[in-house]
Amino acid sequence: MATIKDVARAAGVSTATVSAVINDSAYVSAELRARVLSAVRDLNYSPSLAAQNLKRGRSQLIALVVADLANPFFSRVVWAAEAAVAAWGYSLLIFNSDEKPEVERRILARVRTLSCDGVILVPVGDSTEHLRNDPDGKPIPTVLFGRSVADYRSDTVTIDNISAGRQATEYLLDLGHTRLGTITGPLHVTTGRGRLDGMMAAMQSRGLTLESRYIRSGEFREDAAYSVARSLLEQPDRPTALYVASGLMALGVMRAVADLGLRCPGDISIASTDTIPGIGGLRPRLTRTEHPLVDMTNEAVRLLVDQIRRGGPAEPRNVVFQPSLVVGDSCAPVVAQLGPPPLSSSGSCQ
Amino acid sequence: MATIKDVARAAGVSTATVSAVINDSAYVSAELRARVLSAVRDLNYSPSLAAQNLKRGRSQLIALVVADLANPFFSRVVWAAEAAVAAWGYSLLIFNSDEKPEVERRILARVRTLSCDGVILVPVGDSTEHLRNDPDGKPIPTVLFGRSVADYRSDTVTIDNISAGRQATEYLLDLGHTRLGTITGPLHVTTGRGRLDGMMAAMQSRGLTLESRYIRSGEFREDAAYSVARSLLEQPDRPTALYVASGLMALGVMRAVADLGLRCPGDISIASTDTIPGIGGLRPRLTRTEHPLVDMTNEAVRLLVDQIRRGGPAEPRNVVFQPSLVVGDSCAPVVAQLGPPPLSSSGSCQ
DNA sequence: AAAACTCAGCTAACCGATTAGCTGAGTTCG
DNA sequence: CGAACTCAGCTAATCGGTTAGCTGAGTTTT
């Protein structure tokens, strides 16, 4: 690899001049400029980022730390973030904390070592201590994404989870359902907790309560949702409608419904929150409250770049996006359901 | 951020000693070692990668350049690669060439500037010239993934696409189908071309030919597959079975089938290649030839780390994985189909 | 015409690590 | 007892850039 010295020698100038030409940081006469540029081309010179980073104290790297890279929801975030970050001139590092706080801690140490310019973090767990990433020096610019952490002051980009749960629930209630069930995410994260709270609030305001035997909690995973959905739906007086907290879980629930021989929406109505790629191919089309995922990601990157530019976090900003109800055909009015029907024979096999 | 000098001062030793302790690169007495380690802890010191990179000429960064980050297939590759790369002590940079050769070129220049230690590349297009990433100096260690490029010498990790197409086709032929159709990927990439070739070979060896009006080509995208599937299936004498070149496309095809009011496998049998997350929730379960994706990714990372370690590419290695047939229930024997039935009324709407 | 000013381009210090080579106290041996 | 050897730990060069501050030729001012 050619260095700035090689270029300087080839062009017959000093390294300072080469640097000035490359960065447009000082006036250089047309003649020297031309000589430098042609030497750059001849030698196929490209400045070493390592050297620039060392001197400038930045790295043009942004880290994205997600809670579960196997979840297609976060895959979409990766996709959107790559584009957003590239548009601002940064490159994107990907880390997977796999919902494990101690892995998250290790990743954040690594991010610091790599001297990333900023981090977009989907925080795991409810601890807040280890997020204060630099005890002494200035902290790395950080934007929390999707989930928030109590009493941690930093920019956040989230959706209104309560509204997501409420909207979906109200849609089911409007169809006449009263015996509702839900499959929630982990209740110690805001995305899990908030959606359940929204659902309960919606029911309460109509004088209904969500029975605890119709609540199942689990991880945001397809297989977990599948098994809890089975156990929920195998109850003799199962609910007539289900609110499922995430798109990936909804896939598992649909699979459970099919395997139990139930028909959706004939036997059971299903609504969910968030969307994942490929879910559009599913029949019936899922009724769901969707996140404006691309907008959220762009906003997170924008906030982060802003922090980086101003050299430190300003007053923390909290941007909350509203989910919107997308009506599919996975829900039917309760009158169309024939009371609490038994499980069909084909599905009763264990 | 504390530097090595701060640590040296605090411990009352030279920076060389601190470096020796941290890297275990020379003998240091127990007493000094203890003093250094405690200073490191006190100051929360972590060596600057930028400085190490500059001095050592490496970056502990591996770049993964995929052809389409919106494709869930590549999302799984990202997931697997993150884990594999982390296990070897590297961090993962993600780039999306979006199937555009000129974007790929820019990305590779960026990768060079970032002085990444290696690249895993899903090559786009059939050009080979710009892949020789460093005209003069030594090239960046590279492993091509999934697709190969004619006459470009480097390690590659691929699947046997011909076998993938052949296996799926033979399965359909064994069920008695003779009027087969296919939805292929782009034919200028090996994953598109090879699968079609495998299909044709399978048919030919039974004395059948694939009629060109039953072949539709497109991008590896859900919406593209949807529309070509519609046009293919709306023909009066449509095929009785379809081979679809990718998982994402299969989702689009299933959607088209549903929207046309056709039943799968009742009216049409569908087999595909590759799998994507969420497809497991699809009913009917798709019959497909699957890639051992995690193994492939691990192997690619292993080859790459090997290249990095030995400081240059050895004799190029070509690792080809065999796809395996996973039987679902999206295919039925041809006898179960009632001749060439008309489109059902509900589906004939445009 | 000398003093004051302008400014293109150079010199050299610096960023924070690593490491070749040196120093000097302690040990071994003739 | 002094030469030869060992080796823990130090000094200083180095990686490849950026940039404060200097230089000296050309222009303006008085």
Side-chain angles (χ1 to χ4, degrees):
Chain A
M1 275 287 299
T3 74
I4 199 172
K5 280 182 194 156
D6 300 327
V7 175
R9 198 175 314 122
V13 300
S14 72
T15 63
T17 303
V18 176
S19 180
V21 169
I22 286 170
N23 301 300
D24 245 349
S25 54
Y27 184 84
V28 176
S29 69
E31 198 215 324
L32 288 201
R33 157 172 312 253
R35 263 160 49 197
V36 167
L37 290 177
S38 99
V40 164
R41 250 188 310 279
D42 290 352
L43 299 173
N44 191 233
Y45 168 74
S46 144
S48 145
L49 253 218
Q52 286 187 327
N53 291 347
L54 177 59
K55 185 63 187 169
R56 292 179 167 156
R58 45 203 179 77
S59 60
Q60 300 183 52
L61 258 28
I62 284 178
L64 173 61
V65 186
V66 299
D68 180 11
L69 206 43
N71 186 332
F73 173 79
F74 289 119
S75 296
R76 289 197 68 200
V77 175
V78 169
W79 163 70
E82 193 275 341
V85 152
W88 287 99
Y90 293 87
S91 298
L92 188 68
L93 279 163
I94 296 292
F95 296 94
N96 182 11
S97 67
D98 214 13
E99 300 278 8
K100 303 199 182 86
E102 75 275 15
V103 176
E104 178 179 277
R105 179 180 286 106
R106 275 207 302 277
I107 290 170
L108 290 177
R110 173 88 182 161
V111 162
R112 208 163 67 88
T113 303
L114 286 162
S115 62
C116 290
D117 291 345
V119 199
I120 297 176
L121 174 67
V122 180
V124 159
D126 45 6
S127 75
T128 161
E129 207 40 59
H130 68 287
L131 290 182
R132 334 214 136 281
N133 36 38
D134 206 349
D136 16 86
K138 57 182 75 72
I140 300 175
T142 302
V143 173
L144 298 189
F145 188 87
R147 308 171 177 179
S148 55
V149 173
D151 81 282
Y152 177 64
R153 289 173 57 79
S154 119
D155 288 354
T156 63
V157 173
T158 53
I159 62 157
D160 186 338
N161 288 295
I162 295 184
S163 166
R166 191 169 29 72
Q167 282 187 56
T169 305
E170 278 171 357
Y171 180 78
L172 293 172
L173 295 171
D174 287 347
L175 288 173
H177 295 273
T178 54
R179 212 160 65 248
L180 300 191
T182 184
I183 305 213
T184 81
L187 296 181
H188 63 279
V189 300
T190 52
T191 45
R193 182 83 244 171
R195 291 171 200 177
L196 176 60
D197 287 348
M199 181 179 191
M200 291 173 130
M203 291 184 73
Q204 210 150 14
S205 74
R206 304 224 186 163
L208 297 167
T209 50
L210 181 58
E211 291 186 49
S212 63
R213 69 200 168 107
Y214 291 155
I215 304 178
R216 290 286 194 289
S217 299
E219 297 171 73
F220 283 127
R221 279 172 40 205
E222 202 267 355
D223 53 353
Y226 176 83
S227 49
V228 299
R230 274 194 85 119
S231 86
L232 179 56
L233 295 176
E234 272 169 345
Q235 298 180 76
D237 54 344
R238 61 165 187 273
T240 62
L242 223 49
Y243 168 58
V244 184
S246 94
L248 188 59
M249 297 180 101
L251 281 181
V253 171
M254 295 301 263
R255 189 158 62 89
V257 165
D259 286 0
L260 286 171
L262 296 171
R263 323 228 328 181
C264 170
D267 299 320
I268 182 137
S269 291
I270 294 181
S272 77
T273 283
D274 110 31
T275 188
I276 59 175
I279 218 174
L282 208 60
R283 290 297 176 271
R285 278 183 296 263
L286 212 52
T287 293
R288 59 199 184 262
T289 47
E290 274 201 353
H291 305 32
L293 191 47
V294 173
D295 293 344
M296 288 174 68
T297 308
N298 286 340
E299 179 66 10
V301 172
R302 209 184 59 71
L303 287 175
L304 186 61
V305 170
D306 196 60
Q307 270 189 55
I308 295 171
R309 294 265 167 94
R310 62 157 33 92
E315 188 59 18
R317 286 157 295 183
N318 262 272
V319 184
V320 179
F321 282 80
Q322 286 302 320
S324 54
L325 185 72
V326 177
V327 175
D329 42 28
S330 63
C331 303
V334 74
V335 293
Q337 289 177 205
L338 346 152
L343 289 172
S344 81
S345 57
S346 78
S348 61
C349 59
Q350 257 303 347
Chain B
M1 274 290 296
T3 74
I4 200 173
K5 278 182 195 157
D6 300 326
V7 175
R9 198 175 313 122
V13 299
S14 73
T15 63
T17 303
V18 176
S19 180
V21 169
I22 286 171
N23 302 301
D24 246 347
S25 53
Y27 184 84
V28 176
S29 69
E31 198 216 324
L32 288 202
R33 157 173 308 255
R35 263 157 52 195
V36 167
L37 290 177
S38 99
V40 164
R41 249 189 311 278
D42 290 353
L43 298 172
N44 191 234
Y45 168 72
S46 146
S48 146
L49 253 217
Q52 287 186 326
N53 291 347
L54 176 58
K55 185 64 188 161
R56 292 178 166 157
R58 47 203 177 76
S59 61
Q60 300 182 48
L61 258 29
I62 285 178
L64 173 62
V65 186
V66 300
D68 180 11
L69 205 43
N71 186 333
F73 173 79
F74 289 119
S75 296
R76 289 197 68 202
V77 175
V78 168
W79 164 70
E82 192 274 343
V85 152
W88 287 100
Y90 292 87
S91 298
L92 188 68
L93 279 163
I94 296 293
F95 295 93
N96 182 10
S97 66
D98 215 13
E99 300 277 10
K100 304 200 183 82
E102 75 275 15
V103 175
E104 179 180 276
R105 179 180 288 105
R106 274 207 304 277
I107 290 171
L108 290 177
R110 173 88 181 160
V111 163
R112 207 163 67 89
T113 303
L114 287 162
S115 62
C116 291
D117 291 344
V119 200
I120 297 176
L121 175 66
V122 180
V124 159
D126 45 7
S127 74
T128 161
E129 205 40 60
H130 67 289
L131 290 183
R132 334 214 136 281
N133 35 38
D134 207 348
D136 14 86
K138 58 181 74 74
I140 300 174
T142 303
V143 173
L144 298 188
F145 188 85
R147 309 173 177 178
S148 54
V149 173
D151 81 282
Y152 176 62
R153 291 174 56 80
S154 117
D155 290 353
T156 62
V157 173
T158 53
I159 60 157
D160 186 339
N161 287 296
I162 294 183
S163 164
R166 189 169 31 71
Q167 282 188 56
T169 306
E170 277 170 358
Y171 180 78
L172 293 172
L173 294 172
D174 287 346
L175 289 173
H177 294 274
T178 54
R179 210 159 68 249
L180 302 189
T182 184
I183 306 217
T184 81
L187 296 180
H188 63 280
V189 300
T190 52
T191 45
R193 182 84 244 169
R195 293 172 199 177
L196 177 59
D197 288 347
M199 182 180 189
M200 290 172 130
M203 292 185 73
Q204 209 151 14
S205 74
R206 305 224 185 161
L208 297 167
T209 49
L210 181 58
E211 291 186 48
S212 64
R213 69 200 169 109
Y214 291 152
I215 305 178
R216 290 288 194 287
S217 298
E219 298 170 74
F220 283 127
R221 281 174 37 207
E222 202 265 357
D223 52 354
Y226 176 83
S227 49
V228 297
R230 275 195 84 118
S231 86
L232 178 56
L233 295 176
E234 273 170 345
Q235 295 181 78
D237 54 344
R238 61 163 187 273
T240 62
L242 222 49
Y243 168 58
V244 185
S246 94
L248 189 58
M249 296 178 102
L251 280 181
V253 171
M254 294 301 263
R255 190 158 62 90
V257 165
D259 286 1
L260 285 171
L262 296 172
R263 321 227 329 182
C264 170
D267 299 321
I268 183 139
S269 291
I270 293 182
S272 78
T273 282
D274 110 33
T275 187
I276 58 174
I279 218 173
L282 207 61
R283 290 294 177 275
R285 278 183 295 263
L286 213 51
T287 294
R288 58 197 184 263
T289 47
E290 274 201 354
H291 304 31
L293 191 47
V294 173
D295 293 343
M296 288 175 66
T297 308
N298 286 339
E299 179 65 10
V301 172
R302 210 184 59 70
L303 287 175
L304 186 61
V305 170
D306 197 59
Q307 270 189 55
I308 295 171
R309 295 263 167 95
R310 64 157 30 94
E315 187 60 15
R317 285 158 294 183
N318 261 273
V319 184
V320 179
F321 282 79
Q322 287 302 321
S324 55
L325 185 72
V326 177
V327 176
D329 41 28
S330 63
C331 302
V334 74
V335 292
Q337 291 177 204
L338 348 152
L343 289 170
S344 80
S345 58
S346 79
S348 60
C349 61
Q350 258 302 345

